[in-house]
Amino acid sequence: MPAKKQVPRQAILAASLSLLREGGMEAVNLQALTRRLKCSTQPVYLSFSGMDELREETAKAAQAYFLQFMQEDGEEAPCLYGLRYIRFALQESRLFQYLFMRPRAYEEMKSVLLPIIERSMDGLMATYGISRREAHRFHDQLWVYAHGIAAMVATAYCDWDMETVAQMLRDARTYLGVQYGGGRP
C-alpha cells in the first residue's frame, strides 16, 4: 500500500517560503523544513522529487509573493521605482536580497518584472509626453536610484524613514523629469 500524505504539498511549500523569507535560500534545507513541519523527510519526498524541485517551486512562490505585495496598496500603480518596492526591501529584506541582489537574479525575475516595467513606461510616456525609448531610459534611471535605496535598507546600511525615502524619490523623479520634457508628475 502506498504511503499516505500527512503533510500537503502546499504546507511544505509555505514552510519553505517562510524559511526563505527568514534566512534566504541557504536556510531552505531538509533539516530545517522537517523541523518546521514537525515531520520526517517522507512527506517532502512524496510531494517533490528532491530539494532542487522544492527550491525551484519556492522561488516561484517568492516571485508570486513579491507580485502580490506590489499590488496590495492603493498609493501607486506597481512600479520598480516607487515606495512599495522600497517597502518590500525593508519589510522582506531576505526575500528582497534573494530576488534582486544575487547573480543572474534579473534573468529569473524578467517575466515577473516585464509587465510592471511596461506599465511604468506607459505612465511615464503619458505624464511626460515622451517616446517609448525615452521612457525606457527614464524608467531605468529611476529604478537604479530606487534600487540603490532599497538595497541599502534591505542590508541595514541606512535606516532612513519612509518619509525621507518618499522625498528622495520625488526629488529624483523631478530632477530626472527635467531631462525628459521638463514636466512635473
Side-chain angles (χ1 to χ4, degrees), residues 7 11-12 15-16 19 27-45 51 54:
V7 182
I12 296 167
S16 184
L19 289 169
V28 178
N29 61 64
L30 195 55
Q31 183 180 17
L33 200 53
T34 56
R35 191 173 35 247
R36 174 75 48 103
L37 293 166
K38 296 179 174 92
C39 70
S40 70
T41 60
Q42 186 182 29
V44 176
Y45 288 114
M51 288 305 292
L54 176 60

Side-chain angles (χ1 to χ4, degrees), residues 11 38 62 101 139 143 165:
K38 296 179 174 92
M101 297 178 64
H139 170 271
W143 187 16
V165 169

